[in-house]
Amino acid sequence: ETGVTQTPRHLVMGMTNKKSLKCEQHLGHNAMYWYKQSAKKPLELMFVYNFKEQTENNSVPSRFSPECPNSSHLFLHLHTLQPEDSALYLCASSQGATMGEGETQYFGPGTRLLVL
Amino acid sequence: AQSVTQPDIHITVSEGASLELRCNYSYGATPYLFWYVQSPGQGLQLLLKYFSGDTLVQGIKGFEAEFKRSQSSFNLRKPSVHWSDAAEYFCAVLGAAGNKLTFGGGTRVLVKP
């Protein structure tokens, strides 16, 4: 499998559930990202990881908890979400640690999340 | 702080007609610029990018974009649109510091037969 994959593609959860989104990249990249895409807002960067270290947290509520066990995998753990958290969550990766063309980001297909 | 504006929220174009999508950015230095396309229910696919050199950039699917520093613009064009080009298009800018990508609000393109 090539590129950036995300599972599950669709997820419905209640406000008291705990679930996790998974992202895997097969590009040999070292930087990974989580974005949120809502119906009415531009794409919002949530988290950035470079070489497994979190380098950016864009004021994301603590009910979203990222985890990056290695450079190929990125998780987003979800707990006690609100209906307004319903959105498309996109994962991306880039070569990382280098400027220029190495910072081109490649996106996965996203997980469509509905919080009831 | 960097920002991107896509002035057109929706554009309707007839199949076979030309298409131009506008993108204006705000950034203090030379930006790295990108265009992505998103089909319904899908992730973002990279169409093209500008880092340096020739200001007219060729991308996939017959798209091109021109970087104009004097106008802070990076407009996307296609000479003849196909029905499969119906999608949402996003312009993005990457600052020189770090790897933070800032997106515009997107332009949704509808193609009429």
Side-chain angles (χ1 to χ4, degrees), chain A residues 9 31 33 35 37 42-43 45 48 50 56 58 88 90 94 99-101 103-109 112, chain B residues 32 34 36 38 41-46 49 51 88 90 94-105:
Chain A
R9 293 293 309 276
Y33 311 78
Y35 288 86
Q37 187 178 31
L43 273 152
L45 177 66
V48 180
N50 282 287
E56 181 91 22
N58 198 22
L88 181 68
L90 292 163
S94 70
M99 283 312 303
E101 297 206 37
E103 286 316 305
T104 300
Q105 293 182 22
Y106 296 90
F107 284 78
R112 175 74 60 186
Chain B
Y32 299 141
F34 305 82
Y36 287 87
Q38 186 178 32
Q42 301 297 315
L44 275 67
Q45 181 182 22
L46 180 68
K49 56 191 176 184
F51 283 83
E88 190 155 21
F90 293 91
L94 182 70
N99 44 9
K100 194 169 179 177
L101 196 60
T102 301
F103 285 88

Side-chain angles (χ1 to χ4, degrees), chain A residues 84-104:
Chain A
E84 59 264 28
D85 297 321
S86 299
L88 181 68
Y89 289 85
L90 292 163
C91 174
S93 71
S94 70
Q95 192 172 325
T98 61
M99 283 312 303
E101 297 206 37
E103 286 316 305
T104 300

Side-chain angles (χ1 to χ4, degrees), chain A residues 17-70:
Chain A
N17 291 158
K18 288 184 183 181
K19 296 286 184 184
S20 295
L21 310 185
K22 179 183 175 183
C23 175
E24 184 173 1
Q25 58 93 3
H26 309 268
L27 301 169
H29 288 166
N30 298 299
M32 296 187 78
Y33 311 78
W34 280 117
Y35 288 86
K36 177 182 179 182
Q37 187 178 31
S38 307
K40 303 285 185 188
K41 289 177 149 184
L43 273 152
E44 300 173 80
L45 177 66
M46 299 174 73
F47 301 102
V48 180
Y49 277 81
N50 282 287
F51 292 90
K52 303 187 297 178
E53 298 298 319
Q54 189 182 120
T55 54
E56 181 91 22
N57 177 337
N58 198 22
S59 303
V60 181
S62 59
R63 58 186 183 270
F64 295 90
S65 175
E67 178 190 1
C68 190
N70 55 61

Side-chain angles (χ1 to χ4, degrees), chain B residues 14-55:
Chain B
S14 296
E15 192 167 14
S18 63
L19 175 68
E20 182 167 13
L21 304 182
R22 296 183 290 165
C23 172
N24 294 100
Y25 68 90
S26 173
Y27 184 67
T30 300
Y32 299 141
L33 295 159
F34 305 82
W35 275 101
Y36 287 87
V37 61
Q38 186 178 32
S39 298
Q42 301 297 315
L44 275 67
Q45 181 182 22
L46 180 68
L47 281 177
L48 48 78
K49 56 191 176 184
Y50 172 78
F51 283 83
S52 64
D54 193 347
T55 56

